[in-house]
Structures are given as C-alpha cells and as structure tokens.
Amino acid sequence: MKRIGIVTSGADAPGMNAAIRAVVRTAIPLGFEVLGIKRGYAGLLNNEMQRLNLRLVGSVIHLGGTILGTERCKEFMTDEGVRKAAENLEVNAIDALIVIGGDGSFRGALDLSGVCDIPIIGIPATIDNDVAGTDTTIGFDTAVNTALSAIDKIRDTAMSHGRVFVVEVMGKKRGFLALEVGLTAGAEKIIVPEEKRDLGMVCDRLKESHNKGKRYSIIVIAEGVGKTQEVVDVIRTTCGYEVRLTSLGYIQRGGSPTARSRLLASLFGSEAVKMVLNDERNKMVGLKKDRIESRSLKYVCESEKPLDLNLLRLAEELAI
Ligand code: F6P
C-alpha cells in the first residue's frame, strides 16, 4: 500500500475542496491511502495530518475555501524548514505528495523535491491565474464570476448617478483577473501591471466617451498596479467627473466554486493521482488548449505566463 500526502498551500481558491475530493476518490479505489496535511506546509512541519476517506470528502464539492486549511508558511521558506518537511514526509511514511496551490507553493514544492526522493505533483489553484504551464487555474473562473456579478450591481448605481466607478480587483502581481473581468463587464478601461499606466490616455478616453453621450463608465484596475487612489484623484481633477472607488477585496477568494472550477478540480485531482501511479515526478498538471498536459515544476517556477494583450485591445475596441 502506498500513502499519498495532500496539502493545500498559500492563498485558498474556490475549487480546492473539489480537487481534494477528486484526489481521494481516485486514489483510494486504486489502493492508495491518503493523508490530508493541515494548514499548508505549516502542518507538514508540525505533523498535523489526518487520514482521509471516501466519506470525509462527501458534501465538499460545492464548498469554497479548503477543508484542510492553509497558510503562508515562513518557516518553510528556509533551508532548515524544507529539510524538516522532508524528514516529516519520511516519518509519516508518505510516498508521494500532491500540492494544491499557486506559484509560491510550487516554488516550495520544487525546493522540497531537491531534498527528498518521493514524487511531488502540483495542482494549480489560485484566483490570480498567474501560473505558467496551464491556461487556467482552479478558482479563477469563480473569482471572475464573483467580481463580474459585483460589477453588474455597481453598474446600476453608476448608471443612475452618471458616475465613473474605479473597481479594484485582486491580482497581486498580474492582471489576468482584471483583464477577464474588465472585458466581460464591458469596462471602459482595464489597467493592469503588464502595461505602462498612462493616466492621460485614460482621461482622454473617458472624455471621448462622455462626449459620445455615455453617462457613466467602469474602469477595472488590478490591485498589483498600486496607487489606485491616485487613478481616482487624477480622473476627478482632470475630467471633473464624479468618481467612486470600490475595492472588491476578499469576496473574490470565497464562495461556492463555479461548474468550470469544479470540473477543472476534478480533472486535475484525478490526473495527479494517475501521475503518482505512473511514478511521474516533480510535475504540475495543467490545461493547455483544453487538453490536460503536465509540465515540470522547474519549468512552472522559472517561466512567466504571458497576459494576452490582444484581449485588452479587444475590450477597448468594444467599449466605444
Ligand atoms: O489569491 C491570491 C491573492 O488573492 C492576491 O491577488 C492577493 O493580493 C493576495 O492573494 C492576498 O492574500 P493574503 O492576504 O492571503 O496574503
């Protein structure tokens, strides 16, 4: 009998539970035992683990967050922490580790793979979608839809009052969420860290729209751009419009996963176990052009996923 350890790490993302369920329900019928590691890598360092069974992952497919808990673990970022984690994998007789998380979690997994000799498989789950080696991540679609439905509500009041709304969405470093939310919300302008911020152009665009008879505008900005308040102030003083700022914040990280996030979680979870079965090592499962594909953790950690700037242009073309 082989024992698989499973851990959710870093920021939570809707669909992590569906992925845990898929891992457990693929692994156990194949004869594996599954050990759930609590609180991310912190639980690995403290031997906080629980044996999972088919029933324990019942009624979780629709739940946001992670039933295992998660943490950003500082101790694991040190050489000593990584060594201790490797020791604990051995102490707990874990023969393979499945890590569900984002780029930071995979950097940790890669470090761990350097000091232990068991297969480590990554499952990408982050609302930021900023993981190379996969077109999309678990939780991204849910966050897009959460932000979109919030903006649809904001639109009601923006339209009634004839105001400009600047809506800040999550995305610490990257603009994937802002781009997809902005495009699907019909935003006038989308501001992302991947493009130089030109507030003069933003103001010109707003004035142009105003002159064409538009009574209100929505601007979507990624948190990673920084200085959102400055954007608001410049629009207010340059254009003289009434401007309001809304930061959507953590509501984007919670909630029941969408069908798409659950589907992805189910596919990735099942595939990750099959990779363990085939003794594939130190890889991340991903989706490329609607096909399941895996890439090495090294590739994932050393590559940068490009943002499709054509979509930004499309959003602008359509918001005339
Ligand atoms: O899930 C990723 C993310 O939502 C970022 O976009 C955001 O900046 C960050 O997590 C904040 O997370 P925390 O408060 O957990 O550090």
Side-chain angles (χ1 to χ4, degrees):
M1 154 113 46
K2 284 203 160 198
R3 181 178 276 183
I4 297 177
I6 178 170
V7 65
T8 49
S9 159
D12 61 351
M16 279 183 160
N17 289 324
I20 297 168
R21 170 183 179 270
V23 167
V24 171
R25 291 194 172 174
T26 307
I28 291 179
L30 286 171
F32 288 105
E33 197 176 277
V34 184
L35 213 53
I37 299 166
K38 301 196 176 161
R39 290 198 301 119
Y41 290 123
L44 181 55
L45 293 176
N46 291 304
N47 290 312
E48 291 170 44
M49 299 171 197
Q50 174 192 10
R51 185 138 163 226
L52 299 177
N53 63 40
L54 299 176
R55 295 283 65 81
L56 279 173
V57 294
S59 301
V60 304
I61 194 168
H62 63 299
L63 298 179
T66 159
I67 53 169
L68 290 175
T70 187
E71 243 181 72
R72 298 190 192 276
C73 177
K74 289 223 170 76
E75 190 188 348
F76 186 70
M77 290 172 193
T78 63
D79 289 348
E80 204 186 316
V82 173
R83 266 196 305 276
K84 189 167 158 199
E87 268 168 39
N88 286 353
L89 285 171
E90 211 177 316
V91 167
N92 291 284
I94 293 174
D95 305 299
L97 180 68
I98 294 181
V99 178
I100 306 175
D103 59 342
S105 306
F106 298 146
R107 271 194 295 277
L110 187 63
D111 290 344
L112 192 55
S113 72
V115 293
C116 71
D117 192 31
I118 63 167
I120 301 180
I121 303 294
I123 296 181
T126 160
I127 66 157
D128 289 344
N129 195 23
D130 56 350
V131 180
T134 185
D135 292 341
T136 187
T137 53
I138 296 168
F140 177 62
D141 181 68
T142 307
V144 169
N145 280 289
T146 301
L148 187 59
S149 75
I151 294 180
D152 284 345
K153 292 186 177 83
I154 287 169
R155 181 191 307 282
D156 292 344
T157 177
M159 199 163 62
S160 306
H161 286 263
R163 286 172 172 163
V164 174
F165 266 85
V166 176
V167 183
E168 186 185 270
V169 300
M170 274 188 166
K172 196 168 28 198
K173 290 175 268 174
R174 308 296 308 276
F176 293 97
L177 191 57
L179 174 58
E180 203 155 313
V181 169
L183 175 66
T184 53
E188 200 70 40
K189 188 83 195 144
I190 304 167
I191 309 177
V192 292
E194 287 83 351
E195 258 198 349
K196 200 171 163 290
R197 198 174 47 136
D198 183 343
L199 292 183
M201 234 171 74
V202 175
C203 292
D204 289 348
R205 170 101 197 183
L206 285 174
K207 284 190 215 155
E208 216 180 281
S209 302
H210 201 79
N211 292 338
K212 281 186 206 154
K214 281 201 180 183
R215 288 198 60 248
Y216 73 95
S217 295
I218 309 272
I219 294 176
V220 172
I221 181 167
E223 135 191 48
V225 172
K227 302 192 181 148
T228 303
Q229 185 60 49
E230 192 185 306
V231 175
V232 173
D233 295 341
V234 169
I235 298 174
R236 195 174 279 141
T237 47
T238 313
C239 304
Y241 303 145
E242 255 198 284
V243 192
R244 293 288 187 272
L245 167 63
T246 297
S247 179
L248 297 185
Y250 286 89
I251 62 158
Q252 296 162 101
R253 278 237 301 248
S256 183
T258 56
R260 176 107 182 121
S261 290
R262 297 182 204 191
L263 175 72
L264 210 57
S266 304
L267 289 170
F268 285 174
S270 162
E271 182 65 18
V273 174
K274 286 171 192 153
M275 287 164 75
V276 169
L277 192 66
N278 296 331
D279 200 31
E280 293 191 49
R281 282 162 183 262
N282 311 327
K283 288 183 173 176
M284 183 197 79
V285 55
L287 196 75
K288 282 276 171 191
K289 296 193 170 43
D290 280 335
R291 289 175 68 91
I292 297 280
E293 259 185 38
S294 61
R295 299 304 287 258
S296 71
L297 284 175
K298 190 165 176 333
Y299 169 86
V300 170
C301 295
E302 289 175 357
S303 314
E304 181 146 302
K305 179 156 139 187
L307 186 77
D308 187 353
L309 295 178
N310 292 326
L311 283 184
L312 264 188
R313 300 289 83 82
L314 174 67
E316 282 173 7
E317 276 166 34
L318 298 181
I320 47 174

